[in-house]
Amino acid sequence: MRYLTPWLCLATLVLCGDHDDISNQFGAARQLRTWDEAYALAKTFVAKLNTLEKISLSSGSGISFGPCSGNTQDIDRLGFREMCFQDGPVGVRGTDKVSVFPAGITTGSTWDKELIYLRSRAMGVENRLKGVNVALAPVAGGLGRAPAAGRNWEAFGSDPYLTGVANAESVKGLQDEGVIACAKHFVGNEQERYRLVIENIPNLDREILASLSSQIDERTLRELYEWPFVDAVEAGAGSVMCSYQRVNNEYSCESTTLIRDHLKSNASGGLNFKGFVMTDWFASAIPSLAARAGVDVIMPGDIGATGTVAAFLPASDGASTNGTRLDEMVIRLVASWYKMRQETDWPDVSFSTWSSDDIGVFLDRGYIGQINSHVQAAQPVHATLIRRIAAEGTTLLKNTGGLPLPSTALSIGVFGNDAGPIPESSCGTFGACSAGTLAVGWGSGTGTFEYLIDPLQAITAKAAEVGAVVESVLDDYAYTEIQEKAVGKDVCFAFVNSRSGEGTNSVEGNYGDRNNLTAWRDGDTLVKTVAASCSNTVVVIHSVGPILVEEWIENPNVTAVLLAHLPGQESGNSLVDVLWGDVNPSGKLPYTMGKTEDDYCCKVQYDWDGFQPEQEFSEGLFIDYKWFDKNNIDPRFEFGYGLSYTNFTYDAESLRITEPFGEVDSIDFMAPLFNISVSITNSGSVAGKEVAQLYLGYPSPTNSPVRQLRGFEKLSLQPGETKTAVFVVTKRDVSYWDSGEWKVARGAEYGVEVSASSRDVRAHGTVTF
Ligand code: BGC
């Protein structure tokens, strides 16, 4: 009930979110069918199909044979149009008149459930208007085990609880517009290198014969990597994508354990997933094995029109091991389609991912026609939303007085290539750019920019408004010029970035994963050069994930540091909002920033001495802050950390922990078990937002992390105002996986911490069941 229609908000004056000005501009959510209703319709439909037609729905029509990243085929006889599966997590990729939203990692940094939902809702609008049936989003794997892993930025942060909440809100957002969400990549896809046999990396001395195997114990799978998928399934996700690499020596997409037993089963611990499972693109070497393991749709299907049927045969071969398997595959796909009511008023696909020409060949249909009709999908309110998310995700790491800019800051220096526009010539396919400002990462998860407001452009426009003068140097290495121009400025901005993406591309020798955690193009030297000449240096970082800042973080001339993550198309505008204090920063880190790469639990496995690479997840549950806590490592900035232009006081005395809402054993796993609340006051002089965080420490016999995030609430507070943060803790939130089942530790104390970050505890308590 949080996302009320405008009418309800106005009529009842009940609690609507902080973003009513935006949410009011969305219509009522689509009324989805229940799974039971959808299955009944799907069974009737599938009963009318012949075997070949069933096969044509259980596998894609071949890469680039239809307009979208993946496509099924038309079944003309029954008026069933091909289904369009399109990337991706920052908006509809590969077409025009769409938005590029802030990346998952930026969105996770807002810790704002309403913004997370609205971002996905807006993407739902754009996908629907373009005729997309299945959006290949959201991403919850990689979770961020290794900070340098290439695709961590597509997901929401390195904690399963935070990512789980974000996953659920994102699924709801897309599906409230009738677009089938696809929770990906299931599971253990924690780096790019060795993810795919056909993607052998240049410069290695040998070709691998099998993808990397993530060796993960069962408890870690359940409590860490599968956890966010539980939320996606609970939120009604229509599809799940199994991942490229192997888990415990079996391909994820061919693992009966993962797909049948964990994902689909309703037995103990099973996620009881009702939608369809699709493979990642070319993830299944042997489709019949995938079909047997429980995969329902093989993507993208084989290449070539005549090859299409042959490509489907392995799937039907899988079916032959069990007469009902092929039917189940198709029923699950069509049930998701009926659940979203896509049989009524669903737009035709109006674009081609593969060509920007207006007229072209429909390879799958065998005729020439208009392949791009430029339907306007981006809406003005989406730009407002993108700017809001990017500003609210921006994380203030250091501030000794540099920000917000005072009205006396009238001479401004802007330094660093990351402040400027992206030169077309620096970009390869899939948004793999090596220069210009960094607004999203590269790969299938990138976006197609209709426009991008770079920081220099926005700062220049704002400066004109306030009567300030801007001088800039965009060449990162023009140290002499930088020094000359930095001298005497009221404020200097030093821009640095760190890029990564999917293994599809390499940029400056980074094959998807980053080679290290330092700023690109010698950003550390750039910052030190600026700071040497300018006593009021504000550093702005655009980064895919943790970045090392040790070389300059304690430099007294560095008076503020903003981590703007990956902001999407409104980059410069959202930054200016924070710099001049129109928006008080409220983003908090969705990962830990260590002092060295060795501080972290895990690294990308760059080398392997054989043909079937493996990676031991021997750290178990202890990734990111859980590793730092366990090993008493001082981070530079801990998980959950972020400053504000105001101060917040937590009233430790006000901490309340309710009794359980019933007998623990009889409460459902996903149901609320008890509440925790605490009051928080804005004790500073400007309005601001605080993300209050709940961490629980499980009793020690459970061998759990020192603390685990189990709740967060973002409160908007005027100066002097007090509000109560209420955390609803479910039974799942106090459960751990032991000997094949979820258990609550009985008769021993759980530690309760209400905190401003994972290391900044403001109220302590305990609870026992
Ligand atoms: C990626 C997926 C993506 C698919 C289709 C794969 O390479 O791993 O995330 O959805 O391509 O483009």
Side-chain angles (χ1 to χ4, degrees):
M1 280 306 285
R2 213 149 25 86
Y3 306 110
L4 301 169
T5 60
W7 178 83
L8 270 176
C9 276
L10 291 177
T12 62
L13 288 178
V14 287
L15 267 186
C16 296
D18 282 344
H19 306 289
D20 295 351
D21 55 326
I22 292 174
S23 62
N24 284 348
Q25 297 189 49
F26 289 84
R30 205 169 169 97
Q31 291 301 305
L32 306 187
R33 291 194 174 94
T34 64
W35 280 116
D36 283 348
E37 291 164 347
Y39 264 70
L41 289 164
K43 282 179 184 162
T44 307
F45 175 82
V46 172
K48 295 184 204 149
L49 300 177
N50 61 41
T51 305
L52 212 56
E53 288 165 338
K54 289 177 191 171
I55 291 170
S56 83
L57 291 177
S58 67
S59 175
S61 56
I63 191 89
S64 82
F65 265 74
C68 302
S69 306
N71 309 268
T72 58
Q73 290 185 322
D74 290 325
I75 300 179
D76 291 332
R77 185 174 77 79
L78 298 172
F80 188 88
R81 286 187 320 225
E82 66 182 355
M83 286 178 70
C84 163
F85 298 61
Q86 188 69 5
D87 292 306
V90 296
V92 190
R93 181 174 62 78
T95 182
D96 57 0
K97 299 193 181 334
V98 291
S99 309
V100 179
F101 291 82
I105 205 71
T106 320
T107 312
S109 305
T110 67
W111 299 63
D112 185 316
K113 296 169 200 171
E114 190 184 13
L115 283 181
I116 298 169
Y117 169 84
L118 288 171
R119 166 180 177 265
S120 218
R121 184 82 194 266
M123 285 188 201
V125 169
E126 298 194 16
N127 274 286
R128 180 171 48 73
L129 289 173
K130 288 287 186 184
V132 174
N133 300 88
V134 184
L136 303 173
V139 182
L143 192 62
R145 170 183 183 269
R151 297 181 75 177
N152 295 345
W153 59 272
E154 293 185 33
F156 302 98
S158 305
D159 178 87
Y161 182 92
L162 173 62
T163 301
V165 171
N167 228 14
E169 295 299 336
S170 302
V171 165
K172 283 186 236 157
L174 283 166
Q175 297 194 166
D176 278 354
E177 288 295 327
V179 177
I180 299 171
C182 170
K184 68 185 190 182
H185 307 87
F186 190 79
V187 60
N189 194 167
E190 294 295 324
Q191 67 173 52
E192 293 302 284
R193 185 154 299 199
Y194 302 129
R195 67 175 184 157
L196 194 55
V197 173
I198 57 170
E199 207 171 66
N200 275 307
I201 302 143
N203 306 326
L204 288 188
D205 54 1
R206 79 178 60 75
E207 306 225 316
I208 52 165
L209 299 177
S211 297
L212 179 74
S213 182
S214 303
Q215 309 293 96
I216 315 177
D217 67 77
E218 169 134 29
R219 180 176 181 193
T220 302
L221 267 175
R222 304 277 186 176
E223 291 187 34
L224 189 58
Y225 297 105
E226 289 180 4
W227 179 289
F229 289 90
V230 173
D231 297 279
V233 169
E234 275 295 304
S239 68
V240 167
M241 185 190 288
C242 52
S243 57
Y244 278 126
Q245 72 336 305
R246 296 177 297 151
V247 174
N248 301 334
N249 301 109
E250 267 189 315
Y251 278 95
S252 298
C253 291
E254 294 171 1
S255 165
T256 303
T257 308
L258 291 177
I259 298 176
R260 285 232 175 121
D261 300 349
H262 288 204
L263 186 55
K264 287 185 167 178
S265 157
N266 63 1
S268 173
L271 274 60
N272 199 15
F273 172 58
K274 297 275 195 262
F276 65 95
V277 178
M278 76 178 99
T279 64
D280 199 342
W281 270 231
F282 307 105
S284 170
I286 309 175
S288 56
L289 289 184
R292 271 181 212 138
V295 165
D296 305 300
V297 178
I298 312 285
M299 276 294 168
D302 207 12
I303 301 189
T306 51
T308 306
V309 172
F312 295 152
L313 289 177
S316 59
D317 166 45
S320 72
T321 62
N322 172 345
T324 60
R325 182 74 265 263
L326 180 59
D327 280 0
E328 192 212 340
M329 292 162 84
V330 184
I331 287 168
R332 281 174 171 266
L333 173 73
V334 176
S336 300
W337 181 82
Y338 273 122
K339 182 171 169 54
M340 311 302 152
R341 297 184 188 271
Q342 291 190 353
E343 82 279 11
T344 46
D345 52 278
W346 202 257
D348 283 334
V349 179
S350 55
F351 64 95
S352 167
T353 313
W354 315 102
S355 163
S356 52
D357 296 342
D358 283 3
I359 305 294
V361 183
F362 288 94
L363 280 176
D364 51 346
R365 292 172 173 165
Y367 58 79
I368 293 178
Q370 183 152 14
I371 53 173
N372 281 302
S373 43
H374 314 290
V375 169
Q376 180 64 41
Q379 309 295 314
V381 67
H382 297 180
T384 312
L385 172 64
I386 289 166
R387 182 170 178 165
R388 177 90 45 95
I389 296 169
E392 293 219 5
T394 296
T395 311
L396 181 61
L397 298 177
K398 172 181 178 180
N399 193 13
T400 53
L403 293 177
L405 292 179
S407 54
T408 50
L410 294 176
S411 65
I412 300 172
V414 175
F415 305 103
N417 187 260
D418 181 70
I422 302 175
E424 198 53 47
S425 59
S426 83
C427 297
T429 53
F430 292 111
C433 305
S434 59
T437 199
L438 177 66
V440 285
W442 77 73
S444 61
T446 198
T448 308
F449 287 99
E450 198 69 13
Y451 70 88
L452 168 58
I453 309 287
D454 62 68
L456 179 58
Q457 178 187 351
I459 290 171
T460 307
K462 180 72 185 185
E465 247 175 61
V466 300
V469 177
V470 178
E471 274 195 294
S472 63
V473 182
L474 296 182
D475 179 346
D476 287 311
Y477 306 103
Y479 300 127
T480 313
E481 194 188 349
I482 290 170
Q483 262 165 345
E484 280 166 14
K485 290 208 171 139
V487 171
K489 291 286 184 295
D490 294 330
V491 59
C492 299
F493 295 114
F495 282 83
V496 297
N497 68 30
S498 182
R499 304 167 188 268
S500 74
E502 193 174 346
T504 43
N505 298 68
S506 77
V507 178
E508 296 190 0
N510 295 263
Y511 292 94
D513 306 314
R514 287 185 283 172
N515 293 339
N516 54 54
L517 301 184
T518 50
W520 283 39
R521 302 165 75 106
D522 207 356
D524 288 335
T525 303
L526 176 94
V527 173
K528 287 187 282 186
T529 306
V530 175
S533 303
C534 182
S535 59
N536 189 21
T537 297
V538 173
V539 180
V540 178
I541 305 169
H542 288 117
S543 180
V544 289
I547 181 167
L548 303 180
V549 295
E550 293 311 297
E551 288 202 26
W552 44 261
I553 192 70
E554 285 179 1
N555 183 325
N557 285 354
V558 172
T559 53
V561 180
L562 277 177
L563 176 57
H565 308 279
L566 304 176
Q569 69 187 31
E570 289 282 328
S571 172
N573 287 337
S574 55
L575 181 66
V576 157
D577 289 343
V578 173
L579 293 177
W580 269 270
D582 296 329
V583 171
N584 187 349
S586 58
K588 299 226 178 183
L589 284 176
Y591 49 70
T592 298
M593 287 178 65
K595 293 181 179 167
T596 75
E597 197 172 347
D598 291 335
D599 287 350
Y600 290 91
C601 69
C602 313
K603 289 190 176 157
V604 167
Q605 185 152 313
Y606 296 102
D607 298 307
W608 180 258
D609 234 9
F611 297 96
Q612 305 199 14
E614 289 177 14
Q615 188 172 38
E616 285 298 332
F617 285 35
S618 52
E619 71 290 344
L621 299 173
F622 299 89
I623 68 165
D624 200 76
Y625 66 93
K626 295 161 191 167
W627 177 263
F628 282 73
D629 286 349
K630 181 182 182 195
N631 295 294
N632 285 318
I633 302 167
D634 273 343
R636 170 51 65 180
F637 299 116
E638 69 274 13
F639 177 85
Y641 170 89
L643 302 172
S644 164
Y645 297 153
T646 187
N647 293 312
F648 300 100
T649 309
Y650 289 58
D651 178 6
E653 297 296 305
S654 71
L655 181 70
R656 294 285 173 276
I657 302 173
T658 69
E659 291 296 316
F661 302 139
E663 173 45 42
V664 176
D665 288 337
S666 58
I667 286 184
D668 281 351
F669 183 60
M670 298 299 288
L673 182 63
F674 67 108
N675 283 355
I676 296 178
S677 60
V678 83
S679 38
I680 300 170
T681 303
N682 180 345
S683 44
S685 54
V686 291
K689 294 185 180 180
E690 170 69 340
V691 180
Q693 300 155 43
L694 170 70
Y695 295 87
L696 297 182
Y698 286 30
S700 50
T702 66
N703 291 319
S704 299
V706 175
R707 56 177 65 80
Q708 307 198 67
L709 184 73
R710 286 297 184 257
F712 60 90
E713 292 300 324
K714 191 163 189 173
L715 302 180
S716 178
L717 293 163
Q718 295 301 315
E721 192 183 7
T722 301
K723 281 184 185 164
T724 303
V726 181
F727 306 98
V728 180
V729 185
T730 65
K731 181 164 159 186
R732 175 193 184 208
D733 294 333
V734 298
S735 298
Y736 66 106
W737 186 262
D738 181 36
S739 317
E741 58 174 337
W742 289 103
K743 289 182 184 161
V744 176
R746 307 302 296 267
E749 276 183 0
Y750 283 71
V752 171
E753 296 174 349
V754 178
S755 307
S757 79
S758 61
R759 292 267 174 122
D760 186 359
V761 184
R762 303 293 181 92
H764 288 272
T766 57
V767 58
T768 307
F769 305 103

